[in-house]
Amino acid sequence: MALRNILTEEDPTLTRKCRVVTDFNPRLHQLLDDMAETLEQADGVGLAAPQVGVLRRAVLVLETNVPEGSEPYLIELINPEIIESSGEQHEPEGCLSVPGQYGIVSRPAFVKVKAQNRFGEVFEVTGTGLTARCFAHEIDHLDGIVFTSKCERMLTEEELQATRELDAED
Ligand code: NI
């Protein structure tokens, strides 16, 4: 496995629409493994292939809504589509491609996603809260959408500071 470089907001690659994955080959597996390592190193909860410069429809989402005592786990989604959503949430959101900035984005409270795994097998997965937000955020990346373009507003420096203090208490 190898770390990949995460592109930042000003890179035009992030505004391009990604192509469907048709080959579930070792090259795809290498990409997913590298993305997992890159995401872990960056301490993030999601990563989309275009963020590492690959214009293919593949994302990783960390499922953090797990029972007490269990570890969060990564979900690999190839060619993901939101097939059901409900509710609404307006929470601060960030992105590894927009370091240090957070904004309020409207997202569904619940989503059901249909995708393929790394072997091409179709599956469905649901998410709520942060996970629902993360599915929506990462799938947006595949259509060239970065959260800052659909933000209701960015957080102020004071709000950021308060968030950091909350994090420090975790
Ligand atoms: Ni992002």
Side-chain angles (χ1 to χ4, degrees), residues 60-164:
L60 300 181
V61 168
L62 188 67
E63 173 57 278
T64 51
N65 294 326
V66 291
E68 184 133 3
S70 306
E71 287 293 313
Y73 57 93
L74 267 189
I75 307 171
E76 296 177 346
L77 304 116
I78 319 301
N79 303 324
E81 274 175 77
I82 294 179
I83 54 170
E84 217 181 294
S85 66
S86 62
E88 211 177 333
Q89 54 174 320
H90 301 258
E91 296 293 327
E93 194 165 304
C95 178
L96 293 174
S97 294
V98 192
Q101 290 189 58
Y102 295 84
I104 306 291
V105 186
S106 170
R107 300 284 189 193
F110 165 89
V111 299
K112 185 191 269 187
V113 177
K114 184 179 175 184
Q116 285 165 283
N117 67 14
R118 60 164 65 201
F119 305 106
E121 294 156 354
V122 176
F123 68 100
E124 290 180 3
V125 61
T126 60
T128 59
L130 174 61
T131 307
R133 209 155 76 226
C134 199
F135 282 138
H137 176 117
E138 301 310 330
I139 291 171
D140 270 355
H141 272 301
L142 303 181
D143 293 317
I145 299 165
V146 177
F147 84 98
T148 45
S149 71
K150 60 196 303 185
C151 242
E152 292 165 12
R153 62 180 186 83
M154 297 303 286
L155 293 194
T156 64
E157 196 47 52
E158 278 166 8
E159 286 171 316
L160 275 178
Q161 190 58 41
T163 308
R164 276 187 217 113

